[in-house]
Amino acid sequence: MFPYKTSIQFDRQSNKPLYLQLANQIIQLIKNQVLASNTKLPGSRTLAEILHVHRKTIVACYEELALQGWVESIPKKGTFVHHNLPVLSQKQLQSNTYKQLKKTAGFDFYTNQHLLSKTFEKQKSFMYLNDGLSDERLTPMVSIGRIYRGISAKKKIIDHLTYGTTYGNDELRSTLVSYLNISRGLNITKENVLITRGSQMGIWLSSQLLLRKDDIVVVGTTNYISADITFITQNASLYRVEVDENGLLTTELEKLCQKKKIKAVYVTSHHHHPTTVTLSAERRIHLLNLSKQYNFAVIEDDYDYDFNYNHAPILPLASHDINGNVVYIGSVCKTVAPVFRIGYLIASKAFVDEASKLRGIVDRQGDALLELTFAEFIRSGDLDRHIRKVLKIYKQRRDLFCKLLKKEFGDMLHFEKPKGGMAVWVKLNMRYSWAMVAEVAKNYHLEIGNWQRYDFAKRQHNSIRIGFATYNEVELYELIYRLKQTMEHIKKISIKITS
């Protein structure tokens, strides 16, 4: 007889019933041909005695196996492994634990060399540079939680627990119409609004509707890498236009339009990603005129509209668009906290209608309760109060960070103090490389991260974005200290190499 006593293991602390634990293990034995077709299983009393369990456990196990088709009961003969089971073709297991970690697929699938992995395991002792994140500790969770609980307790909430519209929750769409018309100078109705799970979904939906193989999309020489990769995965052709202190060089764009058929131009007009510069008023008007003349779409990614320290926010391109050429994308993820995946795509009704159909096949709908919560969060004024609060804090952090950078690094790091946003565009002295900085920094428990993503076009500008908003004053001093140690280490290495 097969050694059931030593092969079957029960976890009596588990919530899973013993009969199911036994059934699953017998199924595994059958799959691995340890128990072949037509093998007779022990009687219920016998197996109960062997395994020291109640007979009813064995009876329930055999009934479950029979229902699943793994065994069959033959009157007056007993219970047998089903006679008609085909042999399961599989790799030989390396041990008898039947717990094999699946690392490779048993089939071919397409991979994309451009896509970046966005998950990594953080170590507590390390500090991690980011390219401009809000401080999650400042998230108004008390207000958000209070609103969420209040909404969830209402009787009519049951109407929102089923499938809803792919456009997003109606209340949030209506609230955003009023909020965006006032705060951003738009002139839209609910028909122009599609709720998304953050800006990235808006960029992806836009690329799907605007671009096909070899269609031309224009971006900056430096650009938000996730947008670049989104367009490339559409097999579109990326054409790059220079970016200077006044943003995208629209005169270059015009020359390109005279030679090529442009389908779309992607811009982060408010604070260009990654350099943080603002697109000038002259170039804004020029870009809109070109979009009308050459019939291309402008994808305007307004990822951090709310954060300006020297002046009021500059109205987006979408506020001046009367020809329906601008697809305006934004979110509350940066403003409140990245975990709240609430974004929006603003465009003509025809474009929004098509985007909503496309959204429905990749994400049937959003989180209606969360969307209702943020509708109330905006209407109540809580969002504006939160923005005013963090704006003061982030301005102080920007000022301190820039002061320390200038004081401690001299000619090793060059930057312009940003007028807004949550990051500084920092250029490293050309004598050194970020590759070396990233390697040495680990000795001081500082993680630079994927610095290559800021030069996807390989222009060798030797610059990266460093976020400041997520660190408090003490953390900023510690960050600068670790970075200074790193740079001093690099200087010593360079001196040894040259001497």
Side-chain angles (χ1 to χ4, degrees):
M1 181 181 291
F2 177 78
Y4 291 96
K5 186 173 184 178
T6 56
S7 299
I8 301 296
Q9 303 293 326
F10 290 113
D11 180 2
R12 297 184 183 272
Q13 303 301 316
S14 173
N15 292 328
K16 183 177 289 187
L18 293 182
Y19 83 93
L20 284 180
Q21 292 186 42
L22 177 57
N24 289 341
Q25 291 182 68
I26 290 177
I27 290 170
Q28 197 64 46
L29 291 169
I30 295 171
K31 285 162 60 178
N32 287 286
Q33 303 171 45
V34 176
L35 296 176
S37 292
N38 293 314
T39 298
K40 184 176 182 180
L41 300 180
S44 57
R45 286 189 178 84
T46 301
L47 190 55
E49 291 176 2
I50 293 172
L51 300 178
H52 302 293
V53 295
H54 198 281
R55 177 175 173 259
K56 288 183 179 179
T57 298
I58 308 301
V59 172
C61 168
Y62 285 178
E63 288 177 350
E64 181 66 27
L65 291 171
L67 285 171
Q68 292 190 37
W70 292 101
V71 303
E72 55 187 340
S73 180
I74 301 176
K76 297 182 181 181
K77 289 188 177 182
T79 302
F80 296 79
V81 176
H82 202 286
H83 73 282
N84 205 27
L85 285 177
V87 175
L88 180 62
S89 176
Q90 60 181 3
K91 296 177 182 178
Q92 185 66 37
L93 294 178
Q94 299 301 311
S95 68
N96 60 0
T97 62
Y98 308 109
K99 294 180 180 178
Q100 185 180 27
L101 181 62
K102 295 183 178 178
K103 294 185 178 180
T104 58
F107 51 85
D108 294 330
F109 59 96
Y110 297 108
T111 59
N112 194 316
Q113 62 180 343
H114 301 294
L115 297 184
L116 304 174
S117 174
K118 297 195 176 184
T119 59
F120 61 93
E121 188 174 343
K122 289 188 175 182
Q123 302 180 56
K124 288 186 178 180
S125 62
F126 271 65
M127 295 191 77
Y128 293 82
L129 295 190
N130 62 70
D131 66 356
L133 297 179
S134 57
D135 188 344
E136 66 275 6
R137 293 166 296 190
L138 300 177
T139 306
M141 288 305 300
V142 173
S143 297
I144 294 172
R146 171 178 47 78
I147 296 171
Y148 193 96
R149 288 191 297 273
I151 288 172
S152 301
K154 293 180 180 179
K155 288 184 178 179
K156 66 177 183 178
I157 195 62
I158 194 169
D159 297 336
H160 297 279
L161 301 184
T162 185
Y163 287 115
T165 171
T166 55
Y167 289 90
N169 180 266
D170 276 354
E171 286 191 39
L172 179 56
R173 292 172 72 204
S174 297
T175 299
L176 282 173
V177 167
S178 176
Y179 183 75
L180 296 176
N181 282 347
I182 294 172
S183 66
R184 286 155 173 75
L186 303 187
N187 183 24
I188 58 173
T189 67
K190 190 173 71 173
E191 292 179 331
N192 302 120
V193 181
L194 173 69
I195 306 301
T196 63
R197 290 190 188 269
S199 297
Q200 190 59 46
M201 177 182 277
I203 297 170
W204 184 84
L205 289 171
S206 299
S207 72
Q208 291 287 311
L209 297 182
L210 292 170
L211 304 170
R212 289 291 182 266
K213 182 175 172 55
D214 297 329
D215 283 343
I216 296 175
V217 56
V218 177
V219 301
T221 48
T222 52
N223 195 48
Y224 178 43
I225 188 173
S226 292
D228 285 355
I229 293 173
T230 300
F231 302 142
I232 290 172
T233 56
Q234 274 296 96
N235 293 314
S237 294
L238 254 66
Y239 279 63
R240 296 188 182 274
V241 168
E242 290 294 330
V243 175
D244 63 14
E245 66 274 10
N246 291 310
L248 196 75
L249 211 59
T250 53
T251 51
E252 281 194 15
L253 173 62
E254 183 172 21
K255 292 175 183 177
L256 186 58
C257 289
Q258 293 166 355
K259 300 175 183 177
K260 302 284 184 179
K261 170 62 179 174
I262 308 299
K263 286 297 298 294
V265 175
Y266 171 86
V267 290
T268 45
S269 55
H270 204 188
H271 301 127
H272 175 257
H273 195 292
T275 68
T276 78
V277 299
T278 299
L279 188 65
S280 67
E282 177 188 354
R283 293 184 186 179
R284 286 166 182 257
I285 295 171
H286 191 197
L287 176 58
L288 288 172
N289 287 340
L290 290 175
S291 69
K292 180 179 184 297
Q293 181 180 354
Y294 292 100
N295 193 34
F296 60 75
V298 177
I299 305 172
E300 183 178 19
D301 181 2
D302 206 358
Y303 65 95
D304 64 355
Y305 175 85
D306 298 304
F307 300 115
N308 291 272
Y309 310 118
N310 297 9
H311 52 72
I314 297 174
L315 293 179
L317 291 165
S319 68
H320 309 295
D321 176 38
I322 59 174
N323 299 306
N325 287 94
V326 177
V327 178
Y328 182 65
I329 294 168
S331 77
V332 298
C333 305
K334 288 276 188 183
T335 305
V336 182
V339 71
F340 298 118
R341 307 307 299 167
I342 301 290
Y344 45 85
L345 181 154
I346 311 295
S348 65
K349 179 181 182 302
F351 192 86
V352 166
D353 287 345
E354 198 62 30
S356 74
K357 290 189 288 186
L358 180 60
R359 183 258 175 89
I361 66 171
V362 294
D363 184 30
R364 173 58 181 80
Q365 65 186 66
D367 183 338
L369 298 189
L370 186 62
E371 291 175 10
L372 283 167
T373 297
F374 270 85
E376 178 59 28
F377 186 67
I378 294 169
R379 282 197 302 266
S380 67
D382 283 342
L383 176 59
D384 285 334
R385 282 187 286 274
H386 171 69
I387 291 170
R388 289 195 295 270
K389 173 186 173 181
V390 299
L391 198 60
K392 294 178 182 177
I393 295 172
Y394 293 163
K395 182 180 185 297
Q396 292 171 352
R397 293 179 180 180
R398 178 204 64 168
D399 293 344
L400 176 59
F401 184 61
C402 290
K403 176 184 174 182
L404 293 174
L405 278 179
K406 186 174 182 179
K407 176 184 176 183
E408 299 294 347
F409 298 101
D411 66 347
M412 284 198 78
L413 298 177
H414 302 274
F415 66 94
E416 294 291 333
K417 190 175 182 179
K419 297 176 183 178
M422 294 182 283
V424 178
W425 182 239
V426 179
K427 182 174 183 178
L428 180 64
N429 189 303
M430 297 303 287
R431 294 196 300 264
Y432 313 106
S433 72
W434 284 110
M436 181 181 290
V437 174
E439 188 61 33
V440 173
K442 292 176 183 177
N443 297 323
Y444 303 100
H445 287 202
L446 178 62
E447 179 61 58
I448 302 298
N450 181 17
W451 53 270
Q452 299 98 325
R453 70 184 184 274
Y454 301 110
D455 192 18
F456 196 52
K458 301 190 184 306
R459 297 301 178 98
Q460 308 300 319
H461 52 63
N462 214 29
S463 303
I464 68 169
R465 273 171 69 100
I466 303 179
F468 55 81
T470 194
Y471 308 107
N472 62 31
E473 183 176 326
V474 173
E475 291 163 343
L476 283 173
Y477 275 104
E478 179 63 25
L479 175 64
I480 293 295
Y481 173 71
R482 297 188 191 192
L483 189 56
K484 185 177 181 180
Q485 285 184 304
T486 300
M487 293 304 184
E488 288 176 348
H489 188 150
I490 289 173
K491 275 186 177 180
K492 291 178 183 178
I493 294 174
S494 300
I495 291 171
K496 287 182 180 180
I497 292 173
T498 54
S499 62

